[in-house]
Amino acid sequence: MLTALSIANIVLIERLDLDFEAGLGVLTGETGAGKSILLDALGLVLGARADTGLVRQGADRAQVVASFAPPAADTPLAALLADNDIAMEAGEPLLIRRTVKADGGSRAFLNDQPCSAALLREIGPHLVEIHGQHDDRGLLAPAGHRALLDAYARADTRAVAEAHAAWRAAEEQLAAARAALDAAERDREWLEHCVAELQALNPQPDEEAELAEARAAMQKGERIAGDLAAIMTAFEGSDSGPALLRGAARRLDRLAGDHPLLAEALASLDRAIIDADDAETKLVEAARAMEYDPERLEATEARLFELRALARKHGCQPDELPALADNLAQRLDSIMGGGAGIARLESAVRDTAAAYTHAAIALSDQRKKAAARLDAAVAGELAPLKLDAARFQTLVEPLPAERWGAEGMDRVEFLIATNPGAPFAPLAKIASGGELSRFILALKVALAEEGGADTIIFDEIDRGVGGAVASAIGERLARLASAGKQLLAVTHSPQVAAKGGAHFLIAKSSEGVVTRTSVRALDAAARREEIARMLSGAEVTAEARAQADRLMEAV
């Protein structure tokens, strides 16, 4: 809801500060007083084009500041502000400020945070609806008719949206599975060859390292086998080194008692024999450890070559071959069993499509019943608004299957026929300016609290009508305002003005070559005088004042 509007240096307005409340507020004044300037100023904070022609002559810039009641936390407007990082303090108003420089350029702010005019245009419809003689927004936009009808029907569209999401997800899974199966089928022959080749080789984890280590040991044994054989001859036979040492030790043993040095020599010889025996033992063990079989070495090298060759073929390391074999085998298995998986996914698509269709048909039935109620409600509003020859129809027609969506399977549009026998057509194409505003009012009254912004502005909705019709317009504006909306009506009709809870007088004055537009809120006495002026014209008569009293008392 609009709570305050501050305007500085906009066309004829030098400075203006207005406060607004809920309910019906009317703006009156003589023709040319500048009522459109107020709407132009409000349009700026709602994202309208920043025309430098709006800057008051002699001023370097113009500024408009609008204050709105804070949006409820669970509204689309609150979500939109949050998505754009616009901070809202609890209980604080939403402030929009727009400045326009005389030499070009403009700036916009939301709660003192810089923003784009595009963002203002995006949030504008959530704040204010403006219906004028040439309005092409709001209720005239067919894109919003379905949501309005759903709100009027109290329809919960979540079930349809959830069913549609599940259906689309199932279709995506099926499409992905089919694509994967098609790709796998193209590779089937290659997979069969690779799996057979890997299964025949049967690579084992860490096998390459084990084979390489065994091959290296056997290759070393092959290189030193001759040297070991030659060395071992020194330890074999009766004339070997150890045999000669033992013979010498036996003889020396008989002589050792004859001299201390001989005893020491015998001790040294005994140690040499022990070391020679130890050396022989280690040589035998080393020869046994490094023993190799040429056929085994050849087989080990062949296996290692096959592992490495297959790894190069598949662009991986030899140790990765076991995992590759499992993966390719699984892919081949998926081809073999892919038909069953596709069948399950196809069944899921059928089930989710049926669930969506069921929910969408139920929503469609709800819409058609609500459409009939809405048509009757609007029809009841047309005759008092001097539109008794007109007919209103809420069209609910099925969409082609390819256009079914989260909102259901219906196209919804509000249509009118202004003359008997004339075909129904969209509102904007058939109704004249005055008729259009009255149709919108009838729709708004019928829809009551359903959808739309909290602030609605009707610009000269009473143009071309008077008497009972104007009174009916005023009654319906007041009724719509009592349904929780804030209405501002620019009017030339005293019958409409008398219905207002607040009354603003727009006036133009001149001092020399300087012309100014002013707006002031009227008290009861001033309201009486203004309504009397609207009734009588230039000269306010006692009869006009009495008639004004009667109009105001009838509220």
Side-chain angles (χ1 to χ4, degrees):
M1 182 182 74
L2 179 66
T3 58
L5 184 65
S6 177
I7 304 172
N9 297 321
I10 295 288
V11 193
L12 300 179
I13 298 177
E14 190 171 36
R15 181 74 193 186
L16 184 62
D17 295 291
L18 295 174
D19 294 320
F20 299 94
E21 296 180 353
L24 175 60
V26 296
L27 297 93
T28 65
E30 295 182 356
T31 300
K35 295 185 288 294
S36 63
I37 300 175
L38 279 178
L39 298 183
D40 290 340
L42 187 58
L44 271 180
V45 295
L46 299 177
R49 179 175 173 271
D51 188 348
T52 56
L54 291 173
V55 181
R56 179 178 170 82
Q57 187 174 2
D60 61 348
R61 69 171 189 167
Q63 177 173 279
V64 182
V65 180
S67 174
F68 294 89
D74 57 349
T75 59
L77 175 57
L80 184 57
L81 293 173
D83 290 343
N84 286 276
D85 298 323
I86 303 300
M88 287 294 301
E89 297 292 335
E92 292 297 315
L94 173 63
L95 292 176
I96 305 178
R97 176 162 55 96
R98 187 91 182 272
T99 61
V100 183
K101 293 182 179 180
D103 57 359
S106 70
R107 297 188 69 189
F109 301 86
L110 271 168
N111 284 359
D112 288 329
Q113 295 175 243
C115 69
S116 65
L119 179 57
L120 295 185
R121 287 191 292 273
E122 193 173 356
I123 71 169
H126 297 281
L127 295 169
V128 180
E129 291 181 33
I130 301 178
H131 300 292
Q133 295 295 306
H134 305 289
D135 185 40
D136 59 355
R137 299 163 293 172
L139 290 176
L140 300 188
H145 292 176
R146 183 167 52 198
L148 286 170
L149 180 61
D150 287 344
Y152 181 77
R154 299 287 201 276
D156 184 0
T157 59
R158 287 177 299 179
V160 173
E162 290 170 358
H164 182 265
W167 180 23
R168 287 291 174 253
E171 286 189 325
E172 289 173 3
Q173 290 175 355
L174 176 60
R178 283 175 171 164
L181 187 60
D182 289 344
E185 279 289 353
R186 290 193 296 271
D187 297 336
R188 180 170 184 165
E189 184 177 345
W190 175 80
L191 280 171
E192 288 175 339
H193 169 75
C194 291
V195 169
E197 189 176 40
L198 284 163
Q199 287 177 346
L201 186 62
N202 191 25
Q204 299 300 312
D206 301 323
E207 184 179 6
E208 186 213 16
E210 294 173 358
L211 289 171
E213 185 178 351
R215 183 186 67 169
M218 285 188 287
Q219 286 175 336
K220 288 179 182 178
E222 182 182 23
R223 286 197 303 272
I224 66 175
D227 292 334
L228 282 176
I231 293 169
M232 289 301 295
T233 59
F235 292 87
E236 298 172 354
S238 59
D239 57 349
S240 66
L244 294 174
L245 286 174
R246 282 190 288 271
R250 285 192 297 269
R251 287 184 180 186
L252 187 57
D253 183 55
R254 294 193 296 270
L255 304 174
D258 294 336
H259 194 282
L261 290 177
L262 293 175
E264 291 178 10
L266 178 60
S268 297
L269 193 57
D270 286 340
R271 288 194 298 273
I273 293 170
I274 293 171
D275 288 341
D277 288 342
D278 185 53
E280 183 179 11
T281 300
K282 287 182 169 56
L283 286 170
V284 170
E285 290 177 353
R288 187 180 299 115
M290 301 182 72
E291 182 182 12
Y292 79 99
D293 178 356
E295 292 183 359
R296 180 167 170 261
L297 175 59
E298 184 179 353
T300 299
E301 288 182 330
R303 175 73 176 177
L304 193 58
F305 176 81
E306 290 177 345
L307 284 172
R308 290 175 174 174
L310 196 56
R312 285 195 300 273
K313 178 179 178 180
H314 290 285
C316 66
Q317 295 299 317
D319 287 344
E320 296 171 350
L321 288 174
L324 177 65
D326 290 341
N327 178 265
L328 296 181
Q330 289 174 7
R331 287 176 59 183
L332 188 58
D333 289 342
S334 70
I335 297 175
M336 306 302 291
I342 295 295
R344 286 194 299 272
L345 290 173
E346 287 174 341
S347 177
V349 169
R350 288 192 296 270
D351 291 344
T352 53
Y356 169 79
T357 303
H358 177 77
I361 289 175
L363 177 60
S364 182
D365 291 342
Q366 196 174 3
R367 284 171 174 163
K368 290 173 183 176
K369 292 175 182 177
R373 296 197 305 272
L374 180 60
D375 292 350
V378 173
E381 300 292 335
L382 295 180
L385 295 175
K386 203 176 179 180
L387 294 169
D388 45 314
R391 293 168 295 146
F392 175 83
Q393 180 186 66
T394 304
L395 175 67
V396 181
E397 66 176 8
L399 289 168
E402 64 270 14
R403 291 182 59 192
W404 292 356
E407 300 83 10
M409 52 176 62
D410 305 308
R411 184 179 79 88
V412 176
E413 185 173 5
F414 299 147
L415 304 175
I416 61 168
T418 55
N419 298 305
F424 284 98
L427 275 69
K429 293 185 178 180
I430 297 298
S432 64
E435 288 176 329
L436 190 56
S437 293
R438 281 178 278 153
F439 261 114
I440 290 172
L441 177 58
L443 256 176
K444 276 292 182 185
V445 172
L447 291 169
E449 299 179 359
E450 312 306 335
D454 287 337
T455 299
I456 306 172
I457 297 176
F458 284 99
D459 183 15
E460 299 187 8
I461 191 175
D462 48 24
R463 180 185 291 271
V465 299
V469 175
S471 181
I473 291 174
E475 289 172 359
R476 279 152 180 79
L477 289 172
R479 190 197 313 169
L480 183 56
S482 68
K485 299 288 186 181
Q486 178 190 52
L487 265 72
L488 296 174
V490 177
T491 180
H492 290 286
S493 167
Q495 291 89 343
V496 173
K499 302 294 183 182
H503 192 147
F504 300 91
L505 176 62
I506 303 172
K508 184 166 64 174
S509 61
S510 298
E511 295 180 10
V513 295
V514 178
T515 302
R516 295 183 178 87
T517 289
S518 62
V519 182
R520 64 186 179 95
L522 303 182
D523 58 18
R527 284 190 66 200
R528 172 176 176 264
E529 196 69 12
E530 170 62 6
I531 293 173
R533 181 200 65 77
M534 297 171 73
L535 285 166
S536 61
E539 183 179 351
V540 179
T541 64
E543 181 181 353
R545 291 188 178 95
Q547 179 63 16
D549 287 335
R550 286 191 290 272
L551 288 176
M552 294 173 66
E553 290 170 359
V555 176

